[in-house]
Amino acid sequence: MTEINVAFAQTNPVVGDVQHNLALILEAAESVADTADILITGELALSGYPMGDLSYRADVIDATLSALDQLVAASTQEMFSSLYFVVGHISFATDARPTAQSSLAIAHNSASVIQNGTIIGTYNKQILPNYDVFDDWRNFIPGNNELVFSVSGKKCAVAICEDIWDANSSRPQKLNELGIDLLLVLNGSPYTRKKAAERQVAARSFQRGFDLAYSNLCGAQDELVFDGGSFLLNSSGTTLFKAPFERGCFLALPNSQSSFVEDELSTLWMALVEGLKQYCQKTGQHSIVLGLSGGIDSAVCAALACDAMGASNVIGVALPSRYSSDHSLSDAAELAHNLGIQYRITPIDQVHQAFEQTMDFSALAAENLQARIRAVLLMGISNTDGALLLSTGNKSEIAVGYSTMYGDAAGGFAPIKDVLKTDVWRLAKWFNSSRGSALIPVGSIEKPPSAELRPGQVDSDSLPDYELLDQILTLLIEHSATIEEVVANGFQLKDVVKIEAMIRASEWKRSQGAIGTKTTAVSFGTGRRIPLTTKFRKL
Amino acid sequence: MTEINVAFAQTNPVVGDVQHNLALILEAAESVADTADILITGELALSGYPMGDLSYRADVIDATLSALDQLVAASTQEMFSSLYFVVGHISFATDARPTAQSSLAIAHNSASVIQNGTIIGTYNKQILPNYDVFDDWRNFIPGNNELVFSVSGKKCAVAICEDIWDANSSRPQKLNELGIDLLLVLNGSPYTRKKAAERQVAARSFQRGFDLAYSNLCGAQDELVFDGGSFLLNSSGTTLFKAPFERGCFLALPNSQSSFVEDELSTLWMALVEGLKQYCQKTGQHSIVLGLSGGIDSAVCAALACDAMGASNVIGVALPSRYSSDHSLSDAAELAHNLGIQYRITPIDQVHQAFEQTMDFSALAAENLQARIRAVLLMGISNTDGALLLSTGNKSEIAVGYSTMYGDAAGGFAPIKDVLKTDVWRLAKWFNSSRGSALIPVGSIEKPPSAELRPGQVDSDSLPDYELLDQILTLLIEHSATIEEVVANGFQLKDVVKIEAMIRASEWKRSQGAIGTKTTAVSFGTGRRIPLTTKFRKL
């Protein structure tokens, strides 16, 4: 068992704001300076992660390296005299570009070990992921060096994230032959609902007789949430310590394991709150506006907004039309009252009539008209009050294109775009249960979903039942199943064919969609890249 | 000099529609069967290109390989008895994934040589680009074999696109040592304004004593236009033949070089027409609607729409507000008349007043309100008439965020999103000149640009002069220059700082933008990947 005290700095860097990111690391170091031997940050904690094509910019790299110099200088302070910093940062590539790599990359994804004014060495990420949201091979040149250093007589080595996800590579054996006692792994590992368990499995598979310290970022960047959860495994793969989904610095004292609960829905809720909160903070938004339809999606988004920004910074707007039912308004009002948010009622019928007097709308156009009038009013409030408009669509709707472009699809952030409708209901019930009160009105949870486009209209007029729809969507999207494979799972061919066609036909809508937090292996974001114009029938 | 007759099949495949793509290749082959020795297609001509993550799908690969089998069977026809087919297609990977590659790829980007019922061999692309719009390393596994075969006693080898862009690789020398006479290069090389010349430079740099036949696709897929221009170089690098920007099959008979003119603006126009036309055709759109402001952007878009879909399939709508000037309406009417498109006038003031009576709008919100009302009406026409709405913004506006979300930014396709304002003017003048008549009214070209958000308002109230703006934008975006570097080019620091900040602040708007044709090295599309939340000051 490691006799080295490892501290995990679960920081929330802002891409490019290297002085801010440096301050976070130093603050973490100060909090554990008297007890920790090693402070390990997340991947690229000094630069921010992911950087996208900012990694091409020499000025961004220069700024990061200046901050690294400041960190080296700070490490000479008395309190840090025996502390090893293991810090993630971008650096100018020193290794040559492999023949196979045709990119514009000029940098390594690096981690430096710093001790008392000296950079002991710099490690460069070797395995550069190029799937899902990851574009590392586009943006970085791979490294090929080992960095081994000793702390209190124990040999340590460094790896970065994807480096440890292939247990069949020759590297675990190589590290074992080098006789290392502890592998320090810096990660920028985005949250998905199953990721926490997958990380531990990957880490254990990579171990060959050495302890392993896995450090992760904690915060969010655009569509990605980083859920902390840093952990320390002994050489047998036993978890000695696991940090919570919480920013801060966590000293991995054996047997000091936190007793926090890891319930899937509560963690999902935290991730959704964090994704929205950090998007607001990192883009300078101070308040949120959203339409309240009385339905479940907007109710859950309003609750998330409260947890992210505080109820006093949330404006809920009911925008009743001639087709709105009484319960729509009463459920919206009850929700706003329960959450304590600002509540406004803005009827749309006068505008609706003016549009109808201006032009003839077909039935389809007329259905979309209401949603678009609401978007204009909500964006009016967004511009007038300086509030971020939320798009409240869920993954089921977005998958099949059941939304109005420039209507309910409008918004700067879509908090539940990667949450299926059936999970939205689960979240709502979990939320009420966790608060010990039906803050989200029972009516919103229990009534049949309806866009209220026509009198008496319900979603099930044009969509399969959501329980069915969500299972098929999960197979088609998350598991990339073919139509035949979905049918082999017991679903009706006509349902699967219809849903698959709806997914294909709405590719263009998603290409214009607001970003929102990724919660699954395949979300509708930068990690899914499908042509808009394609005619393959089994997509 | 090659004594082999090479024919270039400049087809326009649809991704996934392999039967259609097969038919195009066979049609090309039939047209040259009596004279050609080799028929060479563009890259992935049987599957479609780019495929995005469809390359992960076994069913897509299976369908392509079935079509390839059909092609092999067809090659036994008497007329093809002496013809070698060199055809691009996806295939299941036979080579192992390199250690450095961490992706979900299962396929090669291949080209097979087929002769009289036999696949002589299959070549797999070796260099997989991973920059700009190219995600080949994400989607394919690299190959490492040479495919050498003889035609009429001449030795031929095969390469695919990026394979020949590194003249410093060891491969040109290797091909020379193999004694090849002719290198056949299949390309999916997207149009940019400078690309045609760059291709010839790259090809010549790669030659080591062998002739080179460079084949390209011709058509468009989403944001990419493929501009044909296949060419044949003798071993000295002299261009023996160059095909036009035109679909069809071109036999590279020496000295048969076409006499077509390659003027930069006329080619740009053709590319913009082709991008729009193919987006409509491949998504099943039959008509186009757009708002006509009387300004230059909508005028150029209307002219492009006419060339893409025919004037009778284009609906131009004037949507005058209380701030619209007389010349806005008269210029719009004149344009519609000159082009022969459908013309409608839909005043927005009644709706505008209804909105004002419904809610209080701040000055900013009020400016955006008009644009959003127009979008609702235009989308109403789009839904009612089944017409594709164009977003008419130019690259200069989009770069600095000078557009209204869910207002003028709304639309399914943005034809001039990668054309700077000053180039829009040039295109308008070129268009009038090429048609021998001022179809685009002189007033639209000459008046000061204005969004007509307030009485007397002009763009230059809030933006630098476009001549200045466009030069700075070109440096910042296309040349990735830092603020310091732009200033060193003779621009004022305050202008550059302001523009750079506007680019950063509007990243979120572009993330929701309609797709449109790429015409430059760095367009606002899938080839530019910048985080929305970043605080680096020198982006």
Side-chain angles (χ1 to χ4, degrees):
Chain A
M1 196 169 83
T2 311
E3 290 150 26
I4 304 169
N5 287 333
V6 177
F8 298 104
Q10 295 192 162
T11 65
N12 176 32
V14 176
V15 168
D17 196 353
V18 293
Q19 289 301 318
H20 172 74
N21 302 341
L22 171 64
L24 296 175
I25 295 168
L26 287 173
E27 184 187 2
E30 284 168 26
S31 73
V32 295
D34 53 348
T35 43
D37 300 303
I38 297 175
L39 179 92
I40 176 174
T41 72
E43 182 175 6
L44 291 177
L46 197 53
S47 315
Y49 178 82
M51 302 180 68
D53 293 351
L54 293 180
S55 65
Y56 297 158
R57 300 195 58 116
D59 49 1
V60 172
I61 304 171
D62 278 329
T64 303
L65 295 178
S66 293
L68 190 69
D69 285 343
Q70 291 172 260
L71 182 58
V72 172
S75 73
T76 61
Q77 291 174 55
E78 174 63 25
M79 67 174 154
F80 297 144
S81 60
S82 61
L83 183 65
Y84 287 77
F85 292 80
V86 184
V87 176
H89 62 89
I90 192 170
S91 69
F92 288 106
T94 50
D95 293 337
R97 189 194 310 276
T99 309
Q101 187 178 28
S102 178
S103 82
L104 304 177
I106 59 170
H108 288 314
N109 179 334
S110 306
S112 287
V113 178
I114 296 166
Q115 213 277 313
N116 199 13
T118 304
I119 296 180
I120 289 177
T122 298
Y123 171 83
N124 304 313
K125 188 176 183 178
Q126 299 185 4
I127 308 295
L128 301 177
N130 207 179
Y131 56 87
D132 189 32
V133 298
F134 305 110
D135 267 332
D136 275 30
W137 185 262
R138 171 187 173 96
N139 290 310
F140 296 105
I141 289 172
N144 56 31
N145 66 312
E146 289 296 347
L147 171 57
V148 179
F149 63 104
S150 288
V151 179
S152 309
K154 299 285 182 185
K155 283 175 92 171
C156 301
V158 178
I160 300 178
C161 210
E162 193 77 10
D163 283 338
I164 69 158
W165 283 76
D166 179 8
N168 294 322
S169 86
S170 58
R171 192 144 176 244
Q173 184 58 30
K174 184 177 166 193
L175 291 168
N176 180 265
E177 285 163 10
L178 288 171
I180 71 158
D181 300 293
L182 173 64
L183 183 63
L184 298 156
V185 190
L186 299 85
N187 298 273
S189 180
Y191 165 82
T192 68
R193 290 171 68 171
K194 296 170 181 167
K195 190 65 81 63
E198 291 167 356
R199 287 174 196 141
Q200 296 229 353
V201 170
R204 285 193 191 98
S205 302
F206 199 82
Q207 288 185 293
R208 298 289 189 282
F210 46 80
D211 299 354
L212 190 150
Y214 183 108
S215 180
N216 197 15
L217 300 169
C218 191
Q221 156 86 8
D222 289 358
E223 66 192 322
L224 302 184
V225 166
F226 300 98
D227 55 334
S230 301
F231 57 86
L232 178 66
L233 304 179
N234 72 8
S235 60
S236 313
T238 302
T239 307
L240 300 181
F241 174 80
K242 188 175 179 209
F245 180 175
E246 192 180 312
R247 265 184 291 291
C249 195
F250 298 90
L251 190 65
L253 291 175
N255 306 317
S256 71
Q257 190 164 7
S258 310
S259 59
F260 56 90
V261 178
E262 282 197 326
D263 167 72
E264 188 175 358
L265 285 176
S266 66
T267 307
L268 174 58
W269 187 266
M270 285 173 68
L272 296 173
V273 169
E274 184 72 357
L276 174 56
K277 179 177 179 173
Q278 293 306 325
Y279 185 78
C280 290
Q281 292 203 347
K282 291 183 175 181
T283 57
Q285 310 278 348
H286 302 292
S287 60
I288 283 173
V289 60
L290 77 168
L292 299 182
S293 68
I296 190 69
D297 297 321
S298 57
V300 167
C301 286
L304 287 167
C306 289
D307 280 7
M309 300 298 284
S312 62
N313 297 311
V314 179
I315 307 166
V317 188
L319 300 126
S321 79
R322 64 188 69 156
Y323 303 127
S324 298
S325 56
D326 292 342
H327 61 74
S328 298
L329 261 183
S330 61
D331 286 341
E334 186 184 338
L335 174 78
H337 176 263
N338 292 352
L339 295 176
I341 64 176
Q342 294 179 51
Y343 182 58
R344 302 181 192 173
I345 304 176
T346 306
I348 70 168
D349 205 58
Q350 186 177 357
V351 171
H352 196 165
Q353 288 181 38
F355 270 112
E356 291 175 323
Q357 287 157 17
T358 298
M359 204 184 94
D360 291 329
F361 291 80
S362 69
L364 171 65
E367 288 194 0
N368 287 320
L369 177 58
Q370 298 171 72
R372 293 194 177 115
I373 292 169
R374 291 188 176 111
V376 174
L377 288 163
L378 289 166
M379 282 302 293
I381 296 173
S382 173
N383 290 155
T384 300
D385 291 40
L388 175 73
L389 175 62
L390 299 188
S391 177
T392 63
N394 62 65
K395 188 175 191 174
S396 311
E397 292 173 353
I398 293 169
V400 296
Y402 197 73
S403 68
T404 296
M405 291 298 287
Y406 325 120
D408 54 297
F413 199 85
I416 57 171
K417 75 177 285 187
D418 198 32
V419 182
L420 292 167
K421 184 79 174 187
T422 49
D423 285 329
V424 176
W425 278 309
R426 286 186 193 102
L427 270 180
K429 290 173 189 165
W430 171 87
F431 176 78
N432 280 352
S433 162
S434 76
R435 307 296 155 113
S437 167
L439 297 183
I440 295 176
V442 173
S444 297
I445 298 176
E446 295 187 347
K447 67 184 161 192
S450 168
E452 299 200 325
L453 301 174
R454 300 178 298 272
Q457 181 262 350
V458 289
D459 292 5
S460 54
D461 295 345
S462 45
L463 291 179
D465 180 80
Y466 279 111
E467 290 289 345
L468 180 70
L469 176 66
D470 285 359
Q471 292 179 61
I472 295 174
L473 289 175
T474 299
L475 289 168
L476 287 173
I477 297 164
E478 256 200 275
H479 299 283
S480 298
T482 62
I483 288 178
E484 290 76 6
E485 288 165 348
V486 178
V487 171
N489 272 270
F491 297 93
Q492 296 290 316
L493 181 63
K494 70 169 174 42
D495 287 336
V496 184
V497 166
K498 177 181 174 183
I499 292 169
E500 188 271 344
M502 292 175 88
I503 294 173
R504 266 192 293 119
S506 50
E507 221 50 83
W508 78 277
K509 289 188 173 184
R510 287 187 291 276
S511 78
Q512 295 187 27
I515 70 163
T517 300
K518 174 182 171 75
T519 75
T520 67
V522 182
S523 60
F524 296 124
T526 64
R528 183 175 173 277
R529 304 178 190 172
I530 303 288
L532 304 195
T533 56
T534 161
K535 287 198 179 149
F536 192 67
R537 291 277 154 204
K538 297 173 179 177
L539 179 62
Chain B
M1 195 168 84
T2 310
E3 291 151 26
I4 306 169
N5 286 334
V6 177
F8 298 105
Q10 294 193 163
T11 66
N12 176 33
V14 176
V15 169
D17 196 353
V18 294
Q19 290 301 318
H20 171 74
N21 302 340
L22 171 63
L24 296 176
I25 295 168
L26 287 174
E27 182 187 2
E30 284 168 24
S31 73
V32 295
D34 52 350
T35 43
D37 299 302
I38 298 176
L39 179 91
I40 176 172
T41 73
E43 182 175 5
L44 291 175
L46 197 53
S47 314
Y49 177 82
M51 304 181 66
D53 293 351
L54 293 180
S55 64
Y56 297 158
R57 298 195 60 116
D59 49 2
V60 173
I61 303 171
D62 279 329
T64 303
L65 295 178
S66 294
L68 190 69
D69 285 343
Q70 292 172 257
L71 182 57
V72 172
S75 73
T76 60
Q77 292 174 53
E78 174 63 26
M79 68 174 152
F80 298 143
S81 60
S82 61
L83 183 65
Y84 287 77
F85 292 80
V86 185
V87 175
H89 62 89
I90 192 169
S91 68
F92 288 106
T94 49
D95 294 337
R97 189 194 309 277
T99 309
Q101 188 177 28
S102 178
S103 82
L104 304 177
I106 60 170
H108 289 313
N109 179 334
S110 305
S112 288
V113 177
I114 296 165
Q115 213 276 315
N116 199 13
T118 303
I119 296 181
I120 290 179
T122 298
Y123 170 83
N124 304 312
K125 188 175 183 178
Q126 300 185 3
I127 307 295
L128 301 176
N130 206 178
Y131 57 87
D132 188 30
V133 297
F134 305 110
D135 266 332
D136 274 30
W137 186 260
R138 170 187 174 97
N139 290 311
F140 297 104
I141 289 173
N144 54 31
N145 65 312
E146 288 297 345
L147 171 57
V148 179
F149 63 105
S150 288
V151 179
S152 310
K154 298 286 182 184
K155 284 176 89 171
C156 302
V158 178
I160 300 178
C161 209
E162 193 76 10
D163 283 338
I164 69 157
W165 284 76
D166 180 7
N168 295 321
S169 86
S170 58
R171 192 145 174 245
Q173 183 58 30
K174 184 178 166 192
L175 291 168
N176 179 265
E177 286 162 10
L178 289 171
I180 71 158
D181 299 293
L182 172 64
L183 183 64
L184 298 155
V185 190
L186 299 86
N187 298 273
S189 180
Y191 165 82
T192 67
R193 290 172 68 171
K194 295 171 182 166
K195 189 66 81 62
E198 291 167 356
R199 286 174 196 140
Q200 297 229 352
V201 170
R204 288 194 187 97
S205 302
F206 199 81
Q207 288 184 292
R208 298 288 189 281
F210 45 81
D211 300 354
L212 192 149
Y214 183 107
S215 179
N216 197 16
L217 301 168
C218 192
Q221 155 86 9
D222 289 359
E223 66 192 322
L224 302 185
V225 166
F226 301 98
D227 55 334
S230 301
F231 58 86
L232 177 66
L233 304 180
N234 70 9
S235 60
S236 314
T238 301
T239 307
L240 300 181
F241 173 81
K242 189 175 177 207
F245 180 177
E246 192 180 311
R247 268 184 290 291
C249 194
F250 299 88
L251 188 66
L253 292 174
N255 306 318
S256 72
Q257 189 164 7
S258 311
S259 60
F260 57 90
V261 179
E262 282 196 326
D263 167 71
E264 188 174 357
L265 286 176
S266 66
T267 307
L268 173 59
W269 186 266
M270 285 173 69
L272 296 174
V273 169
E274 183 71 357
L276 174 57
K277 179 177 180 174
Q278 293 306 325
Y279 185 79
C280 290
Q281 292 203 347
K282 291 184 176 182
T283 57
Q285 310 279 347
H286 302 292
S287 59
I288 284 173
V289 60
L290 77 168
L292 299 182
S293 69
I296 188 70
D297 297 321
S298 57
V300 166
C301 286
L304 287 168
C306 288
D307 280 8
M309 300 298 284
S312 63
N313 296 310
V314 180
I315 307 166
V317 188
L319 300 128
S321 79
R322 64 188 69 155
Y323 302 127
S324 298
S325 55
D326 293 342
H327 61 74
S328 298
L329 262 182
S330 60
D331 286 339
E334 186 184 339
L335 174 78
H337 176 265
N338 291 351
L339 294 176
I341 64 176
Q342 294 179 51
Y343 181 57
R344 301 182 193 173
I345 303 176
T346 306
I348 69 168
D349 205 58
Q350 185 177 359
V351 172
H352 195 165
Q353 288 180 36
F355 269 113
E356 290 175 324
Q357 285 157 18
T358 298
M359 204 184 92
D360 291 327
F361 291 81
S362 69
L364 170 66
E367 288 195 358
N368 287 320
L369 178 57
Q370 297 171 71
R372 292 193 178 117
I373 292 169
R374 292 188 175 110
V376 174
L377 289 163
L378 289 167
M379 283 302 293
I381 296 172
S382 173
N383 290 156
T384 300
D385 291 39
L388 174 73
L389 175 62
L390 299 187
S391 177
T392 62
N394 62 65
K395 188 175 192 176
S396 311
E397 292 173 353
I398 293 169
V400 297
Y402 196 73
S403 67
T404 295
M405 291 299 287
Y406 325 121
D408 53 297
F413 198 84
I416 57 170
K417 76 178 285 188
D418 199 32
V419 182
L420 292 168
K421 184 79 175 188
T422 48
D423 285 328
V424 177
W425 277 309
R426 284 185 194 103
L427 270 180
K429 291 173 188 164
W430 170 87
F431 176 77
N432 280 352
S433 162
S434 76
R435 307 297 155 112
S437 166
L439 297 182
I440 295 177
V442 174
S444 296
I445 299 176
E446 294 189 346
K447 67 185 163 193
S450 168
E452 298 199 326
L453 302 174
R454 300 178 300 274
Q457 181 261 350
V458 289
D459 292 5
S460 55
D461 295 346
S462 46
L463 291 179
D465 180 81
Y466 280 112
E467 290 290 344
L468 180 69
L469 176 65
D470 285 359
Q471 292 179 62
I472 295 174
L473 289 175
T474 299
L475 289 168
L476 287 173
I477 296 164
E478 255 201 275
H479 299 283
S480 296
T482 62
I483 289 178
E484 290 76 6
E485 288 165 348
V486 179
V487 170
N489 272 269
F491 297 93
Q492 295 290 317
L493 180 63
K494 71 170 173 41
D495 287 336
V496 184
V497 166
K498 177 182 175 182
I499 292 168
E500 189 271 344
M502 292 174 89
I503 294 173
R504 265 191 294 119
S506 50
E507 220 51 83
W508 79 276
K509 289 188 174 185
R510 286 187 292 276
S511 78
Q512 295 187 27
I515 69 162
T517 301
K518 174 182 172 75
T519 75
T520 66
V522 182
S523 60
F524 296 125
T526 64
R528 182 176 175 276
R529 304 179 189 172
I530 302 289
L532 304 195
T533 56
T534 160
K535 289 199 177 150
F536 191 67
R537 291 277 154 204
K538 297 173 179 178
L539 178 62

